[in-house]
Amino acid sequence: MPGVDDLDQNVPYPLLSDPPNIESAVGNLVNAAVPRLNMRFADANARAAAIPSPTPGMECFLIAEQRKEIYDGTTWVTITPTGWVPITFLSGYEARGGSPAYRIVNQCVELRGSARRVGAGAFSRGVAFAIANLPAIARPPAYRTYIAATEWAADLYARVEVEPGGNIVVIVAPTSTTTPASWVCFDGIRYSLV
């Protein structure tokens, strides 16, 4: 019967009293140690194929997604910053500046950049409209609401909501102003994924 490491990690090693079998001894050691290492996979699909039943505490780096994740017993959680991923705009809206994108940093999403209507027309004031949709990995568990910059006027602001379904919704206010708003800024918007 093999020995087990002193730190209760269940990593076996051969004892001198074990029958000699180097292939079995090294194989048992490798199979016990690898799940405790920072594994690397081409993407999340390759990881799912290789590890259909992950164990809490497993760590991996996803090459295509450029992120490190740890399995918390329920789901894979991003624990390092991802690269900036461009925001996908809905029909009628486009990037204005600042390379609109999101990234995930320690279970939080950060947004950047600004958006406008295609053709740079003014937004309707006092009306909620969805301008973009985020993928499932970047969606908050509940509604998140922020005050955001729009135009350079003292009598105008925008409210940005990020919905659990992924929509980025904008409402320009107040309705009493005549100042047109044709863009909204996402810089400084950050929310928790938990």
Side-chain angles (χ1 to χ4, degrees):
M1 173 162 206
V4 179
D5 68 279
D6 293 338
L7 298 176
D8 291 331
Q9 297 301 299
N10 294 318
V11 177
Y13 59 86
L15 299 174
L16 290 176
S17 59
D18 291 339
N21 185 334
I22 192 72
E23 183 177 354
S24 175
V26 172
N28 289 340
L29 178 62
V30 167
N31 288 333
V34 167
R36 290 160 175 80
L37 301 175
N38 183 40
M39 299 173 280
R40 293 182 305 273
F41 297 99
D43 56 27
N45 291 332
R47 177 189 60 206
I51 311 173
S53 299
T55 303
M58 284 184 161
E59 294 181 25
C60 71
F61 182 78
L62 302 176
I63 296 166
E65 292 89 340
Q66 297 182 3
R67 68 176 180 257
K68 185 172 180 177
E69 295 186 345
I70 187 167
Y71 189 72
D72 69 0
T74 304
T75 189
W76 287 97
V77 177
T78 301
I79 58 173
T80 58
T82 63
W84 287 99
V85 179
I87 290 174
T88 302
F89 289 101
L90 300 176
S91 179
Y93 301 96
E94 65 185 4
R96 175 182 173 267
S99 301
Y102 73 89
R103 72 176 179 175
I104 300 172
V105 181
N106 295 328
Q107 299 188 55
C108 289
V109 172
E110 295 177 349
L111 302 179
R112 74 171 186 196
S114 61
R116 66 181 179 191
R117 290 181 63 189
V118 172
F123 295 140
S124 297
R125 287 186 301 281
V127 177
F129 50 92
I131 64 172
N133 189 269
L134 296 170
I137 194 168
R139 295 175 181 174
Y143 285 87
R144 303 291 189 234
T145 305
Y146 306 88
I147 298 299
T150 184
E151 296 301 332
W152 300 110
D155 62 346
L156 197 61
Y157 66 90
R159 184 173 85 190
V160 174
E161 294 178 350
V162 184
E163 300 177 340
N167 279 341
I168 298 176
V169 175
V170 175
I171 302 171
V172 177
T175 57
S176 58
T177 183
T178 58
T179 305
S182 61
W183 59 269
V184 63
C185 184
F186 303 132
D187 292 339
I189 293 178
R190 177 185 168 101
Y191 56 87
S192 174
L193 289 171
V194 293

